[in-house]
Amino acid sequence: MTSTAAPLDLLLLPTWLVPVEPAGVVLKEHGLGIRDGCIAFIGPRAAALKLAAKEVRELPGMLLSPGLINAHGHAAMSLFRGLADDLPLMTWLEKHIWPAEAKWVDEAFVRDGTNLAIAEQLKGGITCFCDMYFYPKVASDCVHNSGMRAQIAMPILDFPIPGASSADEALRQAIELFGDLKHHPRIKIAFGPHAPYTVSDANLEKIRVIAEELDATIHMHVHETAFEVQQAVEQTGERPLARLGRLGLLGPRFQAVHMTQISEDDLALLVESNTSVIHCPESNLKLASGFCPVERLWQAGVNVAIGTDGAASNNDLDLLGETRTAAMLAKAVAGSATALDAHRALRMATLNGARAMGLESQIGSLEVGKAADMVAFDLSGLAQQPIYDPVSQLIYATGRDCVKHLWVAGKPLLDDRQLTRMDEQQLTATAIAWGQRISGHSE
């Protein structure tokens, strides 16, 4: 970098810098420079301090990493947090969640619920999230205004949903939204067929053709429970993943969410098609849906990212906590203490999520030329001492309350634990008011 280069907008000097790519690296006493929303410099502290910068920020005791990527959720469902706990998936869905959605979900619900979820995620170190919920245009507006990054999937089912009277209407809206936002720097529109048991072959074919034409991603719940797979086999003689393979949906643009049931044939299909799997361990644990064999997938070369799922089934949007659960669970499921070590777990929560969305050239690791989507974790507290491997401490000994600062495209969205663009008190009051209405305690 020569002295003729324009000054940096911001120079950060953390104690540890974890780029995620190359894998397993921890840089001590290094600096990271940002210019025009992108990473312009990474190098030793001494070299960094020689550069001209409009602002220099010391981050003592802090670990700077790529922003976390929450690869699956239903943001607005944060307003249903705790509404129907301790129930099996189909009872939870059919008896509680679907009726509640039919009654309450409108544009106002989606706006308020999405804003609540965005704020919670920013405070937890998440810079980008995948959303799949009704009224995606409203969710897109929330993301746009917040400064966050997101992939927003239009849900498509064979029956009417809030905001779309049919699958064709949902598809039309998705195509229109895709066109409107295709040049947006932080929002990517995807197609979200809900699950194999709610979408017909004919509608899946339509989605495949359109997604191919637009080079869009497809986000879908697949093999969430053993019951789902067993029912499909009994009714059609075919496993849901095999059906998706036959219909031509699988591929690098396809995100298979949950995948708790994986046979040898399923694994071969995932590998051969280069399909990404989105792992949601806590939602799967809470609904007793099963265990995704993460280490087996990883060793076979499948890209595995991580998601919280919605707050109605988790019940938080805490991706750091989710990653810790994922690392622990992977060891138990594989029967091996070396499965999914801390560095790979962090990669799953960052670069692998970016890869699943087709954004790995822009986000997911700290590399010169990529967007400056970053989070600073404060590891100076009592519960983090002593520090032998800061990444191990981050995954195994740190909670999301240690998130100190967060940037998306170089802009600070969280500064010293404070949201810079959102009113936390107002968001809390709005959520409480919704809770009173839904539980029937409002005036």
Side-chain angles (χ1 to χ4, degrees):
M1 183 132 155
T2 62
S3 55
T4 53
L8 297 166
D9 296 324
L10 176 63
L11 175 64
L12 297 173
L13 298 163
T15 299
W16 302 278
L17 193 151
V18 179
V20 172
E21 184 61 50
V25 169
V26 176
L27 302 171
K28 274 207 83 170
E29 303 303 329
H30 273 57
L32 181 146
I34 300 165
R35 188 186 299 112
D36 299 329
C38 292
I39 298 169
F41 169 87
I42 295 175
R45 182 185 169 92
L49 286 168
K50 290 178 183 154
L51 302 172
K54 295 174 193 169
E55 186 188 351
V56 178
R57 194 138 188 201
E58 293 278 359
L59 300 174
M62 292 187 216
L63 180 155
L64 189 70
S65 90
L68 304 179
I69 295 175
N70 185 357
H72 176 67
H74 313 282
M77 291 184 85
S78 56
L79 292 179
F80 289 143
R81 190 196 315 265
L83 177 68
D85 282 339
D86 308 319
L87 296 166
L89 175 67
M90 292 323 283
T91 312
W92 176 80
L93 259 184
E94 292 171 355
K95 298 270 168 43
H96 297 270
I97 295 302
W98 285 346
E101 286 178 336
K103 184 170 182 184
W104 295 108
V105 174
D106 58 11
E107 293 196 6
F109 178 98
V110 170
R111 184 191 64 239
D112 293 344
T114 302
N115 281 330
L116 178 66
I118 287 172
E120 180 184 351
Q121 292 182 99
L122 289 172
K123 291 198 78 177
I126 297 166
T127 51
C128 177
F129 69 105
C130 292
D131 192 35
M132 181 196 212
Y133 208 59
F134 312 120
Y135 298 104
K137 185 184 183 316
V138 176
S140 302
D141 290 343
C142 294
V143 172
H144 173 78
N145 295 332
S146 72
M148 204 176 184
R149 198 181 297 277
Q151 170 189 284
I152 305 229
M154 173 83 204
I156 300 156
L157 294 88
D158 285 347
F159 39 86
I161 57 169
S165 58
S166 66
D168 283 342
E169 168 66 10
L171 263 172
R172 191 190 60 71
Q173 284 184 30
I175 294 163
E176 195 178 309
L177 197 55
F178 186 95
D180 289 348
L181 294 173
K182 66 168 178 245
H183 299 303
H184 197 287
R186 293 179 284 103
I187 301 173
K188 187 173 170 151
I189 299 300
F191 291 84
H194 170 258
Y197 56 89
T198 51
V199 191
S200 66
D201 280 12
N203 283 326
L204 287 172
E205 295 263 20
K206 284 182 199 168
I207 291 163
R208 176 186 59 78
V209 170
I210 294 161
E212 265 175 18
E213 216 169 276
L214 300 175
D215 194 25
T217 46
I218 299 174
H219 190 84
M220 187 178 191
H221 302 103
V222 187
H223 289 206
E224 186 167 0
T225 63
F227 173 74
E228 172 198 326
V229 178
Q230 181 194 333
Q231 196 176 38
V233 171
E234 282 169 10
Q235 290 171 1
T236 66
E238 192 174 33
R239 289 171 75 84
L241 192 75
R243 174 179 160 225
L244 296 173
R246 174 173 55 77
L247 294 172
L249 272 88
L250 303 182
R253 284 191 306 263
F254 191 88
Q255 301 155 11
V257 182
H258 295 300
M259 289 305 296
T260 68
Q261 314 296 314
I262 301 180
S263 68
E264 287 305 320
D265 288 350
D266 295 334
L267 184 60
L269 257 179
L270 292 169
V271 171
E272 187 187 309
S273 62
N274 201 11
T275 290
S276 284
V277 167
I278 316 298
H279 178 38
C280 305
E282 291 183 4
S283 178
N284 292 343
L285 282 165
K286 185 158 179 275
L287 294 166
S289 299
F291 310 117
C292 175
V294 170
E295 186 69 9
R296 195 165 135 229
L297 290 171
W298 194 295
Q299 296 304 337
V302 176
N303 181 53
V304 186
I306 187 161
T308 57
D309 210 344
S313 68
N314 180 314
N315 295 8
D316 57 35
L317 306 178
D318 177 2
L319 201 78
L320 185 59
E322 198 79 34
T323 304
R324 182 183 189 174
T325 301
M328 305 281 202
L329 191 62
K331 298 173 193 309
V333 170
S336 163
T338 60
L340 198 64
D341 61 72
H343 282 267
R344 283 195 291 147
L346 181 61
R347 192 182 186 88
M348 192 160 89
T350 53
L351 190 57
N352 289 8
R355 183 164 290 134
M357 289 186 281
L359 294 176
E360 70 272 26
S361 63
Q362 297 167 52
I363 59 171
S365 57
L366 302 181
E367 298 178 73
V368 171
K370 281 195 170 187
D373 287 17
M374 307 168 301
V375 57
F377 296 97
D378 187 353
L379 301 185
S380 66
L382 177 89
Q384 281 75 41
Q385 307 315 315
I387 296 173
Y388 302 109
D389 175 348
V391 175
S392 271
Q393 295 306 67
L394 175 66
I395 300 300
Y396 297 123
T398 302
R400 62 176 167 175
D401 53 343
C402 291
V403 173
K404 196 87 167 171
H405 310 290
L406 178 144
W407 299 262
V408 173
K411 294 196 167 54
L413 300 187
L414 188 76
D415 187 35
D416 200 14
R417 298 282 305 139
Q418 299 300 309
L419 293 164
T420 61
R421 290 201 191 183
M422 303 180 92
D423 182 336
E424 193 171 332
Q425 280 182 304
Q426 183 59 57
L427 289 166
T428 305
T430 303
I432 290 168
W434 270 106
Q436 289 171 341
R437 279 180 66 195
I438 292 167
S439 62
H441 297 319
S442 63
E443 300 310 307

